[in-house]
Amino acid sequence: MSDSKRVRVVFESRASRIALVLFALGVIALAAAPYWGGRDDLQLLAEIYAYAALASLWNLLAGYAGLVSVGQQAYVGLGAYLLFALAILLGLSPLWALPLAGIISGLVAMPVAGLVFRLRGHYFAIGTWIVAEVFRLAASQVSLLGGGSGTSLPASMIIAIAPSRALRDAVEYWVALALALTILVAIVLLLRSRYGLALKAIRDSEVAARCSGIDVMRTKVLVYIVTACGTAMVGALIFLQRLRISPDAAFSVNDWTAFVIFITVIGGIGRIEGPIIGTIIFFVLRQTLADLGTLYLMMLGLVAIAVMLTAPKGVWGLIAERFGFSVFPLERRVILDDGTARK
Amino acid sequence: MDWINVIIQGVLVGGLYAMFAAGLSLIFGVMRLVNIAHGDLIVLAAYLALVITQTLGIGPLTALLIVVPAMALIGYLLQRILLNRTLGDDLLPPLLVTFGLSVIIQNGLLTVFTADSVKLQAGAIEVDTVRLAEGIYVGVLPLLQFAVAVAVIGGLQFVFYRTALGRAFRATADDPAVAQLMGLDNRHVFALAMALSLAVVAIAGVFLAVRANFDPSQGPARLIFGFEAVIVGGLGSLWGTLAGGLILGVAQAIGAHLNPGWQILAGHIAFLIVLAVRPQGLFPKVRM
Amino acid sequence: MPDPSAAPLLAVRGLDAFYGDIQALFGVSMQVAPGEAVAVIGANGAGKSALLKSIAGLLRAPRDAIVCEGEPIGGMAAFAVAARGIALVPEGRGLFPSLSVEENLMIGGQLKRAGPWSLQRVFELFPVLAERRNLPSTALSGGQQQMVALGRALMANPKLLLCDEISLGLAPIVVRDIYARLPAILAQGTSIILVEQDIVQALKAAQRVYCLQEGRVALEGATKALTREQIAAAYFGV
C-alpha cells in the first residue's frame, strides 16, 4: 500500500455502471415522451417526476441529515405562491419565475431555520408544521392573490410559455423532467462531497462528528436551505401545470408531506434509490386503488407503519441487502492494483 | 369592558388548550415520545362522545364516564401493541408511526362520519351565563371547562409527584434499565402513561365537541395548539403548560377581536415570538 | 454459619454470555447457599459485571443456565427476576435523579415483597439517610448515594443481593463504613454476591470466592483456605 499510484478511490462498481447506463437509456426514452405519449401520459409522468423529486428532497432532509420535517408543504406552497405572485404582480414569464421562486424560498428558509432549529428531534417536526400553517394563513390574507379562495394564472401568462397547447405541454413536461433530474444529480453530488461525508459522520455519532471538527449545525442548516429551495421549485412547477392555486391546496399536509413520507419510507429511507422505487410503487397503487378514496389513504398509512416496524430500510433496502447493489453509489471503494475492491 | 371580555374568553379557551397540551407533555416526559396522532385522538374522542350521547340518550358530561375509560383502554393497547415497538434511540420510527396513525384515524373518521361538521348538544347549560361584574358575563359551560382544565392539571401534578404510579413514571423516565431492576415492566409503565394521556384527551375531546362544531380534519390543529402550549409554558412543567395554554388562548382571542381571519395566526405568532426570544419556554423545568 | 452443602439458593451452570457479538463469559458455573456471602473478583473485563447482569436479567442467558431455588430463570425479564427476590445494586449506583432519597427507597419497595426490611429499618441501618430523606438523591455524597442504592435494593426484601462494585470511586474510610453494615444484612438471612476489584474488603466480608479471568472461573474456594499467592495467580493469570 506504500505505492499510492496503485490504489484508486472510486464510487462505481461494475453493476452500478450497468445500472447507470440503463438509467440513462430510460431517461432518453422519457425525454422523448412528447413524441410517443398523449397529453394524459405527459401529465401523469410530470406528476411522477414531481413526487420523485419531493421524496428525494425529503429523504435528503430526514434520511441523511436526520431532520424529520412534517412541514415541507411550507415550501411547496411558498414556491407556488411566489411563482403566481411574480407572474401576476410583476408580469414575469413563469419559466423565469420558477428558478427565482426557488432562490427566494431558499432565502426565506434562512430565518425560518433560525427559529425551528431551536427545537430538537420530535419537536422540530411539529415546529416545521407550524411554520407551514403560518405560511398558509398568511397566504390566505393576501387579497391580491385571491385570499382564502385562491386565484388562476391569467391566459396571457399561459400563452407566454409557448404559443400552442401541444408545445406548451411538451415544454412543461421537459421542465419537469429536467428539474427532477437536476435535483437528483444535485443530491448525489452533495452526498458525495465533503458535506455528504459530514452528514454520514453526524448520522453515525453527532458527538464524534463534532469532535472531528464538523460544524454539525452549519451542515444541517445548509441541507435545510438547499431542500427548501428545491422543494419550492417543484411546488412552483406543480401549480404552474395546474394553472390554479389556493392556500389549502398549496399548503396541503396530505398531498405534500403525508404522501411524500409514505413514498420515502416504503421505498427505503436513507438511500438515493428509495424515493424513486417508492414513487413507482405509490403510483402503481394509486392507479389501481385510487377509487377507494379515504380507504386508500388508510391502507397507505398501514403499509408505511408495517414497513417502518418490520423492514425499516424499505423495499430498496431489502433489494440492496440481498444483492449488495446500488445505482448511485455513495460509498468510496478502494481498488488495489490486483483488481480487488475494498470498502 | 370590551377588552376585558376578550381576555376572559381567551383565558377560558386556554384551559382547553392546556388539556390538549397536558397529555402530550405527559408522554413526552415519561418516554420521550411525541404523538403526532394526539390531535386526531382528541377528535376521535369527540366522535365517540357523539355516538354515545346519541345512542344512549345521555348528556355529554355523563358520557365522560364511558369515553374516559374507553380512550384510556385504547391508549393502553395502542402503546402495548404498536408504539412500544417504536421506542429507541432512532427518532424516525415513533414519528412516522404516529404520523401514519394520524392519517389512518383522520381518514377512518371521514369514512364513517363524512366531512360534515357536527356538534354535541349539552342542553340548557350551553346558554347559561353568570355575571362576574357590571357588563362582564361568562358562560357557565366555558367556566366549567376551565375549572375542569385546572382540576385535570392539578390531578396530573398530584399523580406525578405524590403517588406510586408517578414515582414509577419518573423512575422509568430517568433510567429505564434500572427501573426494570425495581420490578417495573417498562412496557406496562409506558402503556399506563399513554392510557393516562388519552384519558385527558377524552375529557378535552368532549369539551371540544360541546364548545363548537367539529369535523374529522380538525385533529392536526389541536395537536399544534397543544404543542404550542407545551413549548410556550416550558418543557416538563405541568403548571407551565396551563400558563402556556392560557397565553395561547388570549393571543388567539386578541387576534380574533382585531380581525376574525387573524385568530389562529395570532396564536402561532405568539408561539414564534416565545420561540425566538425565550426558546426554553416561560416556566421551564428540565424534568417533569 | 451457612451450610454450603444445603440446596443452593442460586446455581449458575455453564453460562455463556455476550455483549452484542463479543463473548464475555465462557461456561461459568457458581453456587450461592442461603445466607451466604460470596465474592466474585477479577481484573477489569474479566466478566464480573456480565455475570451479575445475566443473573439480574439485563443480559440474555439460556434458560437452564441460571437456576433460583430449583427453578430456571435464565433469560427472564429483569422485572420478573426482581419479583423473585433477586436485587441488583448496579455499578455506578443508578439512582433516579428526579426522585428524592425517600422516593428512591420507596420505589425499591414497590414490589411489596414481605420481609424484614422497611423504610424505617433502612433508616436504622443508615441513619444519615433519614436526615436527608427529602433531598434529591443527587445532592448526597458518593458514599451516601451508595447507601441509598443498597437501601433501595434491600427495600425489595431480596433473598439474594447482587452488589456490583459498591466500593467504586469511594474513599477507603467510606468503603469500610459501608462494608461494616453487611453483617447486619446477612443476619436477616439474605445471601450476597459481592463483585469487587477491591479484593481485601471483599475477601474479608465473604465466606467463599470465585476468581474470574477472561470470562472463565480461574479459582474458587473458601476465602480462609486460599493463599494470597493463589489468588494473585488467578487474578493476574500468571
Side-chain angles (χ1 to χ4, degrees):
Chain A
M1 290 276 259
S2 58
D3 185 356
S4 61
K5 282 177 190 166
R6 295 193 172 177
V7 181
R8 287 174 293 142
V9 179
V10 296
F11 289 103
E12 290 82 9
S13 65
R14 218 184 118 190
S16 81
R17 232 170 292 149
I18 294 170
L20 213 55
V21 169
L22 289 176
F23 182 79
L25 290 174
V27 168
I28 293 169
L30 289 174
Y35 302 103
W36 53 259
R39 186 157 201 253
D40 291 347
D41 298 328
L42 293 188
Q43 274 180 348
L44 179 65
L45 283 172
E47 201 185 351
I48 291 175
Y49 303 155
Y51 267 107
L54 288 178
S56 297
L57 287 162
W58 188 80
N59 186 36
L60 173 68
L61 198 61
Y64 286 94
L67 296 166
V68 186
S69 160
V70 293
Q72 288 310 96
Q73 69 272 23
Y75 296 106
V76 172
L78 180 63
Y81 261 96
L82 282 169
L83 179 115
F84 274 61
L86 292 169
I88 294 174
L89 305 180
L90 301 182
L92 215 60
S93 155
L95 292 182
W96 283 111
L98 188 85
L100 205 53
I103 292 167
I104 299 173
S105 299
L107 294 175
V108 172
M110 289 177 193
V112 171
L115 275 179
V116 290
F117 275 69
R118 290 162 175 249
L119 298 163
R120 305 253 148 218
H122 294 100
Y123 282 155
F124 171 83
I126 304 183
T128 59
W129 197 347
I130 293 179
V131 169
E133 282 299 289
V134 170
F135 284 10
R136 181 178 67 82
L137 292 167
S140 56
Q141 294 293 319
V142 182
S143 48
L144 276 173
L145 293 172
S149 48
T151 187
S152 298
L153 212 56
S156 60
M157 279 296 153
I158 302 169
I159 293 167
I161 299 172
S164 80
R165 194 169 119 170
L167 191 57
R168 199 158 57 234
D169 286 346
V171 166
E172 283 178 2
Y173 171 83
W174 282 322
V175 171
L177 181 61
L179 183 59
L181 282 175
T182 309
I183 286 172
L184 193 64
V185 169
I187 291 174
V188 171
L189 291 180
L190 181 77
L191 290 176
R192 283 184 178 185
S193 73
R194 64 192 177 89
Y195 287 106
L197 275 180
L199 285 175
K200 196 163 159 32
I202 293 167
R203 198 159 53 154
D204 291 344
S205 162
E206 199 162 319
V207 179
R210 199 170 288 135
C211 292
S212 37
I214 294 169
D215 190 338
V216 173
M217 205 52 155
R218 218 182 106 113
T219 310
K220 287 188 171 187
V221 169
L222 177 86
V223 171
Y224 182 80
I225 292 169
V226 167
T227 310
C229 178
T231 306
M233 284 197 276
V234 177
L237 185 66
I238 291 170
F239 283 88
L240 173 61
Q241 283 174 325
R242 291 192 183 182
L243 303 176
R244 231 203 106 64
I245 197 168
S246 72
D248 288 347
F251 296 95
S252 161
V253 65
N254 264 345
D255 291 351
W256 315 128
T257 289
F259 287 156
V260 166
I261 291 182
F262 292 159
I263 284 172
T264 313
V265 169
I266 293 171
I269 191 165
R271 285 164 194 276
I272 294 286
E273 298 86 348
I276 299 169
I277 297 286
T279 308
I280 294 169
I281 296 173
F282 173 77
F283 275 90
V284 167
L285 284 177
R286 201 183 77 171
Q287 295 308 98
T288 47
L289 300 173
D291 297 341
L292 295 174
T294 51
L295 223 53
Y296 166 65
L297 270 167
M298 290 169 74
M299 279 172 45
L300 210 57
L302 275 176
V303 171
I305 291 178
V307 168
M308 195 76 238
L309 291 179
T310 58
K313 289 174 184 164
V315 172
W316 187 260
L318 293 178
I319 296 174
E321 238 157 54
R322 183 100 191 237
F323 303 106
F325 165 78
S326 146
V327 183
F328 305 103
L330 298 175
E331 283 173 337
R332 287 158 176 80
R333 297 154 59 92
V334 177
I335 308 281
L336 301 182
D337 57 351
D338 58 359
T340 52
R342 309 240 169 111
K343 266 193 186 174
Chain B
M1 278 309 138
D2 224 19
W3 281 106
I4 294 174
N5 265 321
V6 166
I7 287 167
I8 289 175
Q9 297 310 325
V11 165
L12 295 182
V13 174
L16 187 64
Y17 294 166
M19 279 199 277
F20 295 163
L24 208 57
S25 169
L26 172 80
I27 51 166
F28 184 78
V30 175
M31 53 189 135
R32 299 284 173 272
L33 175 91
V34 169
N35 179 9
I36 294 195
H38 192 76
D40 302 287
L41 288 161
I42 293 172
V43 177
L44 176 69
Y47 274 104
L48 199 59
L50 183 76
V51 170
I52 287 167
T53 51
Q54 282 175 354
T55 49
L56 301 183
I58 55 176
L61 297 179
T62 326
L64 278 173
L65 295 176
I66 302 172
V67 181
V68 170
M71 289 303 292
L73 183 66
I74 290 174
Y76 188 92
L77 295 176
L78 197 62
Q79 186 68 36
R80 208 62 211 240
I81 295 168
L82 189 65
L83 298 179
N84 272 340
R85 302 180 55 187
T86 69
L87 297 178
D89 294 332
D90 193 356
L91 287 176
L92 213 52
L95 268 176
L96 294 188
V97 169
T98 56
F99 189 73
L101 210 58
S102 155
V103 171
I104 291 170
I105 294 172
Q106 211 179 112
N107 286 285
L109 289 174
L110 263 174
T111 311
V112 179
F113 296 101
T114 77
D116 298 339
S117 67
V118 286
K119 187 180 173 301
L120 209 54
Q121 303 301 332
I125 192 176
E126 281 189 44
V127 289
D128 286 349
T129 54
V130 288
R131 181 173 161 272
L132 289 188
E134 192 54 45
I136 298 170
Y137 293 88
V138 291
V140 170
L141 203 59
L143 212 55
L144 177 68
Q145 171 189 298
F146 183 76
V148 168
V150 174
V152 162
I153 302 280
L156 284 178
Q157 181 86 8
F158 177 81
V159 168
F160 228 77
Y161 291 102
R162 295 274 178 271
T163 66
L165 182 64
R167 266 201 308 275
F169 284 161
R170 283 180 290 144
T172 309
D174 277 354
D175 191 333
V178 177
Q180 294 233 27
L181 296 174
M182 306 295 118
L184 293 168
D185 180 357
N186 292 348
R187 294 166 302 175
H188 178 63
V189 172
F190 289 155
L192 287 176
M194 188 55 91
L196 188 58
S197 167
L198 289 210
V200 176
V201 156
I203 300 172
V206 169
F207 278 100
L208 173 78
V210 174
R211 202 177 71 85
N213 286 334
F214 63 97
D215 65 71
S217 70
Q218 281 191 351
R222 310 307 118 178
L223 165 74
I224 286 175
F225 296 160
F227 171 75
E228 287 175 335
V230 171
I231 299 289
V232 168
L235 274 181
S237 155
L238 280 165
W239 290 119
T241 296
L242 179 64
L246 301 191
I247 290 168
L248 188 64
V250 170
Q252 286 191 2
I254 291 173
H257 190 69
L258 296 172
N259 177 339
W262 292 353
Q263 180 191 353
I264 310 296
L265 198 55
H268 293 331
I269 286 168
F271 162 77
L272 291 177
I273 290 172
V274 171
L275 192 60
V277 301
R278 209 177 144 82
Q280 71 275 35
L282 300 175
F283 311 98
K285 186 172 177 186
V286 179
R287 285 192 169 272
M288 271 177 85
Chain C
M1 266 323 259
D3 174 10
S5 64
L9 173 68
L10 180 89
V12 178
R13 294 171 187 156
L15 173 67
D16 295 335
F18 299 84
Y19 282 119
D21 289 334
I22 299 160
Q23 186 160 4
L25 295 179
F26 300 83
V28 168
S29 295
M30 74 174 295
Q31 289 199 354
V32 183
E36 186 183 27
V38 172
V40 176
I41 60 173
N44 239 334
K48 307 182 300 289
S49 286
L51 177 60
L52 286 198
K53 282 183 177 160
S54 302
I55 298 171
L58 292 177
L59 278 183
R60 286 170 168 277
R63 195 165 160 69
D64 293 323
I66 303 167
V67 177
C68 176
E69 294 182 313
E71 240 187 296
I73 59 161
M76 211 178 247
F79 63 89
V81 174
R84 272 158 203 274
I86 297 178
L88 172 65
V89 182
E91 188 178 347
R93 307 184 275 268
L95 297 185
F96 301 112
S98 53
L99 271 60
S100 69
V101 168
E102 185 173 316
E103 284 180 321
N104 264 286
L105 294 174
M106 281 166 77
I107 203 138
Q110 66 98 28
L111 281 166
K112 299 198 167 38
R113 288 171 48 87
W117 295 102
S118 61
L119 206 53
Q120 198 192 340
R121 292 292 311 278
V122 170
F123 284 146
E124 282 167 17
L125 186 67
F126 302 115
V128 64
L129 298 186
E131 304 159 19
R132 296 165 188 231
R133 59 200 295 167
N134 291 323
L135 290 179
S137 51
T138 45
L140 269 55
S141 72
Q144 290 164 350
Q145 288 191 20
Q146 193 56 266
M147 291 174 191
V148 178
L150 257 175
R152 184 178 67 178
L154 290 175
M155 286 291 289
N157 279 305
K159 289 178 233 164
L160 175 62
L161 187 64
L162 312 173
C163 298
D164 199 350
E165 309 249 6
I166 48 176
S167 67
L168 199 71
L170 299 181
I173 185 166
V174 180
V175 175
R176 273 200 297 281
D177 188 26
I178 288 177
Y179 268 89
R181 322 289 166 104
L182 293 188
I185 296 169
L186 287 165
Q188 300 294 338
T190 307
S191 306
I192 302 180
I193 298 181
L194 288 166
V195 157
E196 272 296 1
Q197 287 192 35
D198 186 338
I199 305 178
V200 181
Q201 286 296 343
L203 292 184
K204 246 191 265 173
Q207 286 109 42
R208 286 190 308 120
V209 60
Y210 290 82
C211 187
L212 291 186
Q213 191 197 321
E214 289 171 2
R216 294 181 173 83
V217 176
L219 177 74
E220 63 171 289
T223 44
K224 291 193 176 109
L226 297 174
T227 65
R228 283 185 83 90
E229 289 69 29
Q230 279 175 306
I231 291 170
Y235 193 101
F236 297 110
V238 286

